[in-house]
Amino acid sequence: QSRTVTGKVTDGRDGSPIPGVTIHLKGSNVGTTSTADGTYKITVSENAVLVYSFVGYLSQELPANKDVINVKLANDDKQLSEVVVTGYTQVDRKKLVSSIAEVGSKQIENVPVTDVNQVLQGRAPGVVSASGSGQPGSKQNVAIRGIGSLNAGASPLYVIDGVIMNTGQYNYDVQTQSSDVLANINPNDIETINVLKDASATALYGARGSNGVIVINTKKGKAGTSKVNFKAQYGFNSPSFGNWKLMNAQQAFDYQRLLYANAGYSQADIEEIVPDSLLKHSFDWNKAAFQNGHTQNYEINSSGGNDRTKYYLSGSYFSQDGAMIYSGIKRYSVVSNLQHQVNDRIDIGMNMNLSYIDMDNSGAGNRYSSPLFGNFANNPLLPAYKPDGTLYTGLEDYWQDNSNTGDNFLYSAAVNKNINQNFRGLGKLYLNYKFTDWLKFSQTVAADFIYGHNKSYFDPTTGDGYNGADPGMSGDLVEGQQMSRTITSQTSLHGNFNVGSKHQFDYLAMMEYSPTHFEAFNAEGVGFGSGKIRVLDAASKPQTVGGSSNDYRFLSYLGQINYTFNNKYYLTASIRNDGSSRFGQDRKYGTFYSIGASWRVIDESFMKSQTIFNDLKLRLSYGSTGNADFGNYQSMQLYKYDVAYNGLPASRPSQMGNPYLTWERSNNSNLGIDMAFLHSRLTASVDLYYKKTFNMLQNRPLSPTSGFGSVAQNIGSMSNKGIEATISSRNVVGRDFQWSTDVTFGMNRNKILSLYNNQDIINPTDADGNGYTGTILRVGMPAYTWYLKEWAGVDPANGDPLWYTADGKTTNNVNLANYRTFGATMPRYTIGFNNTFTYKNFTLSAFFYGSQGNQVINGAARYGDADGARPNWNYAVMAGGNYWTKPGDIAARPKPIAGGNKNSVALSTRFLEDGSYIRLRNLTLGYNLPKEWLKAAKIQNIRVYAQGQNLLTITGYTGVDPELDFTGYEFFKYPVSKSVSFGVDITL
Amino acid sequence: GKLEVKPYDSLVDGEALGTFDQVSVALNGVYDGLQSTSYYGRNYWVMTEVNGDNVYIARSNSNRFLSSFRHDYTTQDADVESLWKAVYQGILRADRVITAVDAVKGDQAAKDLVKGQALVLRAMMHFDLVKVYARPYAQGNGSQLGVPIKLKFEDTYPQRNTVKEVYDQVILDLTTGRDLLKNADPSDKYHVNANTATALLARVYLQKGDNANAAIESAKLIGGGDYSLLPSSANFYNVPGSDEEIFTLRFVDNESAGSDNIGQMYLKPGYGDVRVSPDLYSTFDAADSRLVYLGKMATETVNQKYTGQGGVAGATSPKLVRLAEMYLIHAEAVSTTDPATALNDLNEIRTNRGLQPLVTVAPAAMLDSVLAESRREFMFEGHRYFDLLRNGKGVTRNMCGSSLEITAPCTIAPDAYNLIYPIPQAEKNVNPGITQNTGYGQ
């Protein structure tokens, strides 16, 4: 017997109606959605249970025991969606067989970061994200479930709205600075980020999903009332130097005199080299190199639609000053996402994302004109200003004789220009044609256009721009352009069908073709008539020109089938055949597969009587994935034509080549359990995984006497295993006060299983060109284990540095010390810990991130705490304490001597430190203005908030920042910023 | 198919070496290899100067070449490693040309010219390696460990050949190359020819201690008439192609290494870290025309040989072999057996450089006179350190403790382990067959 239930669904906090809520009968596919005013009507049978669910709210189940059921839905700040978008397809969350971490827009919105990867840190378990630089817009290094590959790319694959997108740097680089086109995406346009981790989830990207897949879904319109949002945000940031502190003028003066005295200089010499007069015009270079800056973000977006047409439109402007002077980023972006149901059979849609970035950089840490390095290379006893009050340009005799660098960055950073510009156009058009439910056809064409431009200008009056041999040829401009075009075509058949009432099937069959073409060009000119003219047209003499081009292509066929039995047992199987142009003749294709199953234990009859679990699901998956993120043309034996002699073209053997080169493969197993307790107030997901990577794409080091550095080969194997957990608890769920806690935990253990002839690889380099100096790849140990000479302290007799030799004795000759293994560069555990408190219209959240067990080298200390190795540079404050002064001293530092003490700064465990830290990543206080105030003004919502980023870091590390990329080596890292910002969001 | 793509900037090996013209282009690549900043583009000429006693590194410096000055290399020293790699890359380029040229179609005479050049360059590269990574020839009469000889591309882990084996190969390549180059144009200064091979043979024999052959080879060029000594002039090193040059590695103006070129190591503005030792300056007679290459900066002396080529500060085309060396090789080679001829050779140089000829030199002092002249003539051209090594001398510096320079040892004894370079750790890390030099650990 059936009857009709009606009612209204409202927001539990403010009572406003919620349109678009899914209301369905538990255990069936029957359902409806709420209308624009939140009302609904549904036909139910006896003993039915209604399930109310909507994105951003906690689902509710109610027995349909009344004719009118009004429902208040509570907000879900974690905002897990009902369907999980895995890129090509969407999966009902309860059918999910695989390990997918989801980060929702609530966690992304308004966080003043340039790169979405910065949001993932600690929010998604198993994802380790770290920056190599605090420069806004610089590259983030991301690893999912450990280091996935040694010489092929170890970064995840990025998919935006179903299409694989390019990442990385597209700027001609004259300064070893990093920029990442991912910074072009406005994080506020993102609805969800799904991190696909196990084989079943990534299998659809089989070929390239070995390092995990990050699926970004931009916001789409929803049927119901249309709305307009205004966002404005303004903030302040300042550099954070951690425990790293440089000497002031008096400290540097005293220390410098000590260095020369210990080096045996006479008092008269010392007074000549370090005269008292230096203290009169000393200068704080460190303070001068950094700035307190601003962050601004302004944005308008609108979304809405009806049954037929849905839209999301947005435009935004974001700017952020860097911590270093003359550095920062500006981003302009527009997004247009449209969907239209043409008729019963056809729907068509388009996503478009255009963005442009301007990045200012005052130079990377390896240039003397860079404030980053210069603030340290210039001693505080060196004045910045001439006696007449103007800045030294660096070319004056006084400066040339007394500085180490010949460059006053305070002058040169202002007149030199170093700009990166990135344009990105991401577009996608799709058309779906439905023959019947079990046969649908889709065609998608997507494009990813990237244009990068770099300009590096050295002013004629600076050390880098001045030409002593021909002053007329002073001034130097280098410009470079890079263009990349990727077109992706996807043609698919898909559908679903049932066999009887208990067997449900859906399937997907697809062909995907994706060619990429890349072009680069650069030119240099010298001889500029004025420092204000900064275009190549004005160069009076051309210098070198360069240009390059490359192609790579992927061709793939894939199929997937999902089977559901009795709504309790789910099975997914997929297979994919991929071809890549990067591999050798006859080695281009690889086949990858996966199988996954899940079991909703909670729905079994034997669970009906228990009261402990509100939800219980087991997931199991196994499958293979591949990796082709490797250099182009590596299979070929090549001669390169990029050299010349005597004005004539020349060629050189550039690559040994390996025609047998093929896919790197991984086999992945995952066991997961999803649980809910205490009326679903406590939920937990735990995943165990084991991943074995083999046929690894490696650059096997060759003897340098061969004339080549390495050869590409499929060799060796490696494993990653670990545990990930997400626990969410709604601790207090009162009407006025709510408190929830979310914890993510990740632990990964990496181990090298085999290498070429099982030989160690020392000081390896990865696909991105990162050099892992001081580390080793050794069978049985984690990748990038430290391999160093062991510091044995200071000889009490004479203050010499000591290291251990192979037989356990000590030596003061570092060349005679032996190498040993120590810890690894990757963290052993990472943890994210978030608490959200809501009181009436106030929300306070505090998010901590912790990383434990990574060992890092403080490379800057090899310069700043160097026992006098660079006597005219500045020194870290710590260098001035606990050093050897007389026989018998048990000291931490050798006798400081101008010019250094017996290679005491050679790379050794002296500079190896525990890089564990806990950081308050985000602290937000928000307030929603009461709805009743806004009703008259026809405003739906106004939210004001204040938030802080990186306000607190707890660490024992002595350098600037222990959050390092995976090389684990800090060398004058561009410091991350602490920031506080204020914002308002208005919804009309 | 759709997945067949080819690179835009490279050719596959077979195509790149498949015709005579392509092999000729690859030969240019061998010369390009010599231009590496790690090799003759800068480091080989700066490191070996700084290793010796002609120069010092200023107290205020940009942190370059300190380990070379102090002879305190660690086995990971970047300069030591990059030199090793750059020279072996050059050797590979030469090897590929030598192998390929025999297989392509073409005029035999033209093919001989290509092969001859590659052989001479390969010899020079092996010689340059063995001089710095192995003990001097006399310290073991060649039986001590040299460097691996690489005559073809191989993916192997070679052991070190003995010093004698390396010298024998160098001499073989030079004599074979010279035969093939007998028709090469001697007026082309920018490529090696038969005269270059002869000059290098003279240099190699002298370094080996085979003075008889050194005298024979150097005499061929002194009397040959293809070259002449030129008076010193401020721009001599800024303009390539003079009559005195036998082989010059030509850099065209726009391929300077910018602020990283040779001259910028000496010049201010520029890094200007390397200054001229007062000891060297004091050996100059006021009439010496070569004083034009020395400038003054406050109380210090600076090198002005490489002020800039084509308007590029510090750029130069290294004159790797020039006639003056032949006189001094000849003089040194006969200094004990025929002091009178040695004196004549020496006076050829002296009179050309504005000095009075020496009238008498005691036979016992003859060698020292030649070495002193060589020091002045080839200062900053990478000769002095090898003059000392060859003659069993260590490095003795007379400026120790001066507040102008960084602290460094005053003397490095002839038998000191750190007189020569370590085998780079990068080679040790990969190659189990390689043996480290004594004193640099395992």
Side-chain angles (χ1 to χ4, degrees):
Chain A
Q1 183 179 340
S2 64
R3 60 196 174 81
T4 301
V5 173
T6 60
K8 184 171 180 179
V9 190
T10 52
D11 186 307
R13 204 152 52 194
D14 59 33
S16 61
I18 314 175
V21 176
T22 303
I23 300 122
H24 80 273
L25 289 174
K26 194 173 180 183
S28 84
N29 289 331
V30 178
T32 183
T33 55
S34 62
T35 59
D37 61 358
T39 59
Y40 71 94
K41 183 155 78 173
I42 189 168
T43 306
V44 300
S45 53
E46 208 155 351
N47 296 329
V49 172
L50 287 172
V51 183
Y52 300 80
S53 52
F54 190 60
V55 174
Y57 293 86
L58 294 167
S59 294
Q60 246 184 65
E61 293 185 12
L62 293 171
N65 53 8
K66 290 186 283 190
D67 288 344
V68 177
I69 302 176
N70 293 326
V71 183
K72 289 186 169 171
L73 290 183
N75 282 72
D76 179 4
D77 288 323
K78 283 211 301 114
Q79 207 186 24
L80 290 180
S81 48
E82 280 305 289
V83 290
V84 179
V85 182
T86 62
Y88 293 124
T89 57
Q90 300 187 350
V91 184
D92 192 331
R93 177 165 289 280
K94 69 179 186 182
K95 292 185 178 179
L96 207 58
V97 300
S98 48
S99 179
I100 295 179
E102 180 172 316
V103 179
S105 60
K106 279 263 163 59
Q107 289 156 303
I108 302 168
E109 267 176 13
N110 297 333
V111 181
V113 295
T114 46
D115 190 327
V116 294
N117 285 317
Q118 290 166 282
V119 179
L120 295 178
Q121 195 189 53
R123 302 283 190 186
V127 179
V128 177
S129 163
S131 67
S133 164
Q135 159 85 26
S138 68
K139 184 175 162 57
Q140 291 281 309
N141 288 288
V142 176
I144 296 175
R145 294 188 164 177
I147 295 167
S149 184
L150 296 179
N151 286 144
S155 299
L157 188 71
Y158 289 80
V159 173
I160 187 163
D161 291 329
V163 179
I164 293 170
M165 66 192 280
N166 296 306
T167 56
Q169 171 145 320
Y170 285 83
N171 286 113
Y172 177 73
D173 180 17
V174 294
Q175 302 250 312
T176 62
Q177 63 203 352
S178 80
S179 70
D180 192 337
V181 288
L182 267 183
N184 275 52
I185 307 292
N186 174 9
N188 286 346
D189 286 325
I190 295 173
E191 180 73 42
T192 57
I193 302 173
N194 288 309
V195 182
L196 316 186
K197 295 187 284 197
D198 68 346
S200 178
T202 59
L204 282 179
Y205 299 96
R208 298 157 73 185
S210 162
N211 295 318
V213 182
I214 291 181
V215 176
I216 297 169
N217 306 295
T218 59
K219 288 177 178 166
K220 310 289 186 312
K222 296 180 185 76
T225 47
S226 301
K227 60 185 178 183
V228 181
N229 291 304
F230 298 96
K231 285 173 183 289
Q233 190 176 8
Y234 195 87
F236 306 89
N237 53 48
S238 60
S240 162
F241 296 105
N243 296 322
W244 180 251
K245 203 162 184 298
L246 294 175
M247 287 190 185
N248 64 28
Q250 184 65 50
Q251 289 169 322
F253 179 86
D254 294 343
Y255 188 69
Q256 198 165 357
R257 284 199 158 189
L258 170 82
L259 294 178
Y260 285 111
N262 282 350
Y265 286 79
S266 70
Q267 191 58 34
D269 275 350
I270 292 171
E271 283 177 16
E272 191 197 320
I273 300 169
V274 197
D276 288 321
S277 61
L278 288 177
L279 282 169
K280 286 195 196 115
H281 44 225
S282 64
F283 188 74
D284 188 340
W285 290 102
N286 192 46
K287 197 174 162 201
F290 298 96
Q291 64 182 358
N292 294 327
H294 306 278
T295 301
Q296 299 175 65
N297 188 41
Y298 304 103
E299 190 170 328
I300 297 175
N301 68 57
S302 176
S303 65
N306 54 31
D307 293 348
R308 303 276 304 268
T309 305
K310 293 161 192 157
Y311 76 95
Y312 172 84
L313 306 172
S314 97
S316 76
Y317 168 76
F318 172 85
S319 88
Q320 188 166 57
D321 294 331
M324 196 161 74
I325 55 172
Y326 304 108
S327 71
I329 191 169
K330 288 185 173 65
R331 176 178 58 219
Y332 312 84
S333 67
V334 289
V335 170
S336 157
N337 289 339
L338 302 173
Q339 291 160 271
H340 181 69
Q341 187 84 39
V342 179
N343 57 37
D344 286 353
R345 292 183 179 279
I346 300 174
D347 69 277
I348 191 163
M350 175 169 222
N351 303 331
M352 191 133 80
N353 188 326
L354 302 180
S355 57
Y356 186 84
I357 274 183
D358 268 323
M359 262 175 84
D360 261 329
N361 197 319
S362 41
N366 65 345
R367 278 197 90 96
Y368 286 135
S369 55
S370 158
L372 196 53
F373 199 41
N375 90 83
F376 174 66
N378 293 338
N379 187 290
L381 302 174
L382 181 70
Y385 293 92
K386 296 178 206 164
D388 68 5
T390 59
L391 280 168
Y392 282 106
T393 65
L395 296 172
E396 297 83 357
D397 286 347
Y398 175 82
W399 189 275
Q400 289 287 326
D401 289 349
N402 289 284
S403 83
N404 302 300
T405 66
D407 203 301
N408 180 356
F409 68 77
L410 207 54
Y411 175 81
S412 56
V415 293
N416 289 341
K417 272 285 163 205
N418 194 38
I419 305 166
N420 286 334
Q421 291 150 330
N422 286 324
F423 167 81
R424 180 166 214 171
L426 274 167
K428 171 180 152 181
L429 179 77
Y430 63 90
L431 183 142
N432 299 322
Y433 188 91
K434 180 174 158 186
F435 293 95
T436 85
D437 275 344
W438 59 267
L439 185 62
K440 298 170 196 162
F441 166 85
S442 295
Q443 174 64 44
T444 297
V445 180
D448 185 355
F449 301 129
I450 298 169
Y451 168 82
H453 181 229
N454 170 277
K455 197 163 182 166
S456 290
Y457 179 75
F458 301 102
D459 187 272
T461 59
T462 65
D464 284 328
Y466 181 73
N467 184 338
D470 188 353
M473 289 301 115
S474 292
D476 188 348
L477 175 62
V478 185
E479 283 196 62
Q481 297 185 348
Q482 304 207 342
M483 283 183 285
S484 166
R485 178 216 73 201
T486 302
I487 303 290
T488 304
S489 165
Q490 297 167 339
T491 308
S492 68
L493 293 174
H494 51 104
N496 53 63
F497 55 92
N498 297 345
V499 177
S501 62
K502 289 188 172 174
H503 307 275
Q504 301 165 2
F505 293 87
D506 61 72
Y507 72 93
L508 167 75
M510 182 187 279
M511 187 193 90
E512 183 178 84
Y513 176 55
S514 175
T516 297
H517 180 68
F518 173 86
E519 297 266 0
F521 174 76
N522 64 73
E524 180 177 8
V526 298
F528 288 82
S530 160
K532 291 177 179 158
I533 308 292
R534 297 163 176 165
V535 290
L536 281 172
D537 262 358
S540 51
K541 189 167 153 190
Q543 298 288 295
T544 51
V545 292
S548 65
S549 212
N550 66 57
D551 277 316
Y552 62 89
R553 296 173 192 163
F554 287 95
L555 177 63
S556 314
Y557 303 89
L558 66 100
Q560 183 182 47
I561 186 153
N562 300 314
Y563 167 55
T564 304
F565 174 69
N566 209 13
N567 278 318
K568 282 189 289 199
Y569 310 96
Y570 307 95
L571 198 66
T572 296
S574 62
I575 186 160
R576 175 160 177 148
N577 183 258
D578 276 273
S580 167
S581 63
R582 287 182 172 138
F583 299 123
Q585 199 75 33
D586 308 325
R587 309 278 166 147
K588 294 192 190 310
Y589 287 89
T591 301
F592 306 90
Y593 63 90
S594 82
I595 185 153
S598 74
W599 174 25
R600 279 185 65 85
V601 183
I602 194 74
D603 289 343
E604 293 291 348
S605 53
F606 60 77
M607 294 295 285
K608 296 283 187 229
S609 55
Q610 62 84 33
T611 53
I612 299 166
F613 292 98
N614 304 106
D615 189 12
L616 183 61
K617 188 169 100 172
L618 292 174
R619 294 177 274 107
L620 190 62
S621 74
Y622 180 77
S624 63
T625 50
N627 191 345
D629 188 3
F630 204 56
N632 298 309
Y633 315 116
Q634 295 273 312
S635 65
M636 300 174 175
Q637 196 175 2
L638 294 178
Y639 250 73
K640 200 165 184 175
Y641 286 70
D642 60 349
V643 289
Y645 176 66
N646 196 25
L648 293 170
S651 66
R652 63 186 179 99
S654 59
Q655 190 164 283
M656 183 176 150
N658 171 13
Y660 304 110
L661 199 67
T662 189
W663 294 86
E664 174 174 305
R665 305 179 78 94
S666 294
N667 286 343
N668 312 275
S669 319
N670 191 86
L671 173 64
I673 181 164
D674 299 331
M675 296 166 288
F677 310 92
L678 304 171
H679 305 288
S680 293
R681 279 173 61 177
L682 182 67
T683 60
S685 270
V686 180
D687 281 271
L688 303 175
Y689 61 88
Y690 180 82
K691 174 165 136 182
K692 183 179 170 187
T693 305
F694 55 100
N695 282 347
M696 286 197 288
L697 286 167
Q698 279 201 48
N699 294 318
R700 175 169 69 80
L702 300 174
S703 161
T705 60
S706 69
F708 289 118
S710 62
V711 61
Q713 246 174 288
N714 293 94
I715 33 176
S717 55
M718 178 169 75
S719 70
N720 281 287
K721 59 186 174 186
I723 303 174
E724 293 158 3
T726 306
I727 299 163
S728 295
S729 168
R730 286 180 287 141
N731 307 322
V732 178
V733 286
R735 177 161 169 76
D736 288 339
F737 179 67
Q738 290 109 36
W739 170 31
S740 63
T741 302
D742 300 290
V743 180
T744 63
F745 170 82
M747 175 187 110
N748 185 75
R749 294 290 179 268
N750 175 287
K751 190 156 105 178
I752 307 257
L753 303 176
S754 64
L755 292 169
Y756 177 74
N757 284 349
N758 288 336
Q759 277 177 13
D760 294 342
I761 298 176
I762 298 164
N763 296 338
T765 308
D766 71 13
D768 297 328
N770 296 313
Y772 287 78
T773 307
T775 70
I776 190 170
L777 302 174
R778 173 175 282 179
V779 173
M781 310 209 73
Y784 311 122
T785 292
W786 289 106
Y787 187 63
L788 299 165
K789 299 194 166 184
E790 188 177 5
W791 179 246
V794 176
D795 190 336
N798 54 17
D800 277 359
L802 296 175
W803 297 269
Y804 287 107
T805 57
D807 55 8
K809 298 199 173 81
T810 61
T811 175
N812 64 5
N813 177 353
V814 71
N815 284 320
L816 302 181
N818 81 310
Y819 288 98
R820 223 159 58 69
T821 56
F822 296 89
T825 65
M826 289 289 280
R828 292 170 66 79
Y829 310 100
T830 57
I831 190 160
F833 183 66
N834 188 56
N835 276 289
T836 304
F837 305 91
T838 306
Y839 178 69
K840 293 191 172 166
N841 289 349
F842 288 94
T843 307
L844 175 71
S845 73
F847 173 54
F848 289 88
Y849 176 74
S851 168
Q852 193 276 329
N854 50 320
Q855 300 292 308
V856 299
I857 291 273
N858 184 353
R862 295 180 63 202
Y863 286 68
D865 187 8
D867 316 315
R870 288 164 187 80
N872 294 353
W873 297 33
N874 202 356
Y875 322 94
V877 169
M878 60 185 174
N882 199 7
Y883 53 78
W884 187 93
T885 52
K886 60 183 188 304
D889 279 359
I890 306 294
R893 294 184 175 78
K895 181 182 180 183
I897 302 171
N901 191 341
K902 298 187 174 59
N903 275 317
S904 66
V905 294
L907 189 58
S908 78
T909 58
R910 179 181 177 187
F911 302 100
L912 187 67
E913 298 187 35
D914 185 348
S916 302
Y917 68 97
I918 296 172
R919 175 167 284 168
L920 177 55
R921 285 289 289 178
N922 187 278
L923 181 69
T924 303
L925 176 64
Y927 176 66
N928 284 296
L929 269 62
K931 295 271 152 150
E932 48 272 27
W933 298 5
L934 305 173
K935 262 187 185 146
K938 301 260 184 208
I939 296 171
Q940 286 191 38
N941 193 25
I942 295 182
R943 177 168 183 266
V944 293
Y945 60 90
Q947 69 173 321
Q949 285 281 108
N950 303 329
L951 294 182
L952 176 73
T953 304
I954 301 165
T955 183
Y957 176 66
T958 61
V960 172
D961 185 6
E963 183 189 314
L964 294 173
D965 62 16
F966 312 135
T967 62
Y969 192 100
E970 181 188 332
F971 183 70
F972 296 104
K973 181 177 173 174
Y974 186 125
V976 295
S977 288
K978 289 182 190 178
S979 71
V980 175
S981 58
F982 304 92
V984 57
D985 291 357
I986 301 171
T987 307
L988 300 181
Chain B
K2 278 184 168 139
L3 299 181
E4 303 297 328
V5 295
K6 286 201 163 157
Y8 293 85
D9 57 0
S10 308
L11 293 178
V12 293
D13 229 78
E15 293 174 39
L17 298 173
T19 66
F20 174 75
D21 286 348
Q22 290 297 329
V23 174
S24 301
V25 172
L27 174 66
N28 288 340
V30 186
Y31 288 96
D32 172 80
L34 301 180
Q35 293 185 317
S36 162
T37 305
S38 304
Y39 194 17
Y40 282 117
R42 186 183 78 190
N43 285 12
Y44 197 66
W45 265 23
V46 179
M47 288 169 79
T48 52
E49 281 301 309
V50 170
N51 285 142
D53 57 359
N54 281 342
V55 294
Y56 61 91
I57 292 188
R59 190 166 42 74
S60 220
N61 63 71
S62 68
N63 202 32
R64 285 170 171 75
F65 302 110
L66 302 187
S67 54
S68 290
F69 186 48
R70 293 183 170 132
H71 286 254
D72 67 351
Y73 296 118
T74 68
T75 57
Q76 296 112 316
D77 190 89
D79 294 338
V80 168
E81 178 182 323
S82 66
L83 174 69
W84 179 269
K85 288 180 173 173
V87 180
Y88 274 111
Q89 279 171 19
I91 289 173
L92 171 67
R93 296 182 191 186
D95 287 340
R96 297 302 305 274
V97 169
I98 292 163
T99 312
V101 71
D102 288 337
V104 297
K105 289 200 180 74
D107 172 43
Q108 191 56 44
K111 284 166 60 173
D112 286 351
L113 290 179
V114 168
K115 188 173 182 178
Q117 290 180 64
L119 283 166
V120 170
L121 293 171
R122 180 170 79 181
M124 189 168 90
M125 292 187 274
H126 277 112
F127 181 56
D128 286 342
L129 285 174
V130 78
K131 281 193 291 184
V132 292
Y133 292 101
R135 305 296 311 179
Y137 198 97
Q139 294 186 6
N141 201 23
S143 67
Q144 67 274 40
L145 288 178
V147 294
I149 298 170
K150 294 294 287 187
L151 303 181
K152 61 174 196 275
F153 170 69
E154 289 171 308
D155 170 16
T156 56
Y157 300 132
Q159 299 188 351
R160 294 170 70 176
N161 292 86
T162 65
V163 168
K164 179 172 188 303
E165 286 166 343
V166 177
Y167 272 76
D168 288 350
Q169 183 64 46
V170 167
I171 291 164
L172 177 66
D173 280 351
L174 287 173
T175 47
T176 314
R178 179 165 63 184
D179 288 346
L180 294 169
L181 289 170
K182 56 183 181 291
N183 294 322
D185 173 9
S187 71
D188 176 0
K189 318 266 180 208
Y190 306 137
H191 295 89
V192 294
N193 53 42
N195 290 340
T196 317
T198 301
L200 289 172
L201 275 168
R203 189 188 277 181
V204 170
Y205 283 130
L206 188 73
Q207 201 69 18
K208 187 183 172 189
D210 182 348
N211 287 339
N213 275 314
I216 291 168
E217 297 300 340
S218 54
K220 289 178 185 168
L221 293 173
I222 292 170
D226 286 329
Y227 309 96
S228 55
L229 292 176
L230 293 177
S232 311
S233 78
N235 267 330
F236 181 71
Y237 289 93
N238 293 338
V239 181
S242 75
D243 283 350
E244 191 176 316
E245 292 157 44
I246 297 171
F247 172 49
T248 293
L249 187 67
R250 186 176 176 215
F251 282 78
V252 295
D253 296 349
N254 68 1
E255 65 182 356
S256 125
S259 55
D260 281 336
N261 62 32
I262 294 175
Q264 296 281 45
M265 300 302 119
Y266 293 94
L267 297 169
K268 284 270 188 186
Y271 292 116
D273 298 340
V274 185
R275 316 268 164 90
V276 179
S277 122
D279 182 31
L280 170 62
Y281 185 74
S282 68
T283 71
F284 276 86
D285 187 293
D288 197 319
S289 64
R290 290 169 299 199
L291 280 169
V292 71
Y293 304 126
L294 296 175
K296 279 284 173 195
M297 187 180 82
T299 59
E300 295 176 80
T301 308
V302 290
N303 164 21
Q304 291 191 331
K305 269 189 177 175
Y306 316 122
T307 51
Q309 172 189 312
V312 182
T316 190
S317 296
K319 301 178 195 306
L320 296 186
V321 189
R322 54 190 177 90
L323 181 62
E325 185 187 357
M326 295 303 113
Y327 284 99
L328 292 168
I329 287 174
H330 195 263
E332 185 175 335
V334 301
S335 59
T336 45
T337 55
D338 185 0
T341 307
L343 187 62
N344 279 340
D345 293 329
L346 198 57
N347 283 334
E348 283 288 336
I349 300 292
R350 287 181 62 86
T351 51
N352 192 277
R353 302 306 184 218
L355 297 170
Q356 292 299 314
L358 297 173
V359 182
T360 51
V361 175
M366 194 62 228
L367 177 63
D368 284 343
S369 294
V370 175
L371 292 179
E373 203 56 56
S374 172
R375 187 182 181 193
R376 285 186 290 268
E377 178 64 25
F378 288 104
M379 57 188 181
F380 327 126
E381 291 176 66
H383 280 230
R384 172 67 175 170
Y385 174 56
F386 302 122
D387 289 353
L388 296 172
L389 295 191
R390 164 174 83 240
N391 286 293
K393 298 175 190 291
V395 177
T396 306
R397 294 158 170 164
N398 76 343
M399 208 193 155
C400 277
S402 162
S403 61
L404 292 172
E405 67 168 15
I406 63 159
T407 49
C410 306
T411 54
I412 295 110
D415 59 351
Y417 82 94
N418 58 347
L419 188 69
I420 58 163
Y421 300 178
I423 299 295
Q425 192 68 36
E427 183 71 43
K428 282 286 296 170
N429 286 343
V430 178
N431 178 357
I434 206 90
T435 306
Q436 183 55 274
N437 280 326
T438 308
Y440 285 107
Q442 286 307 299

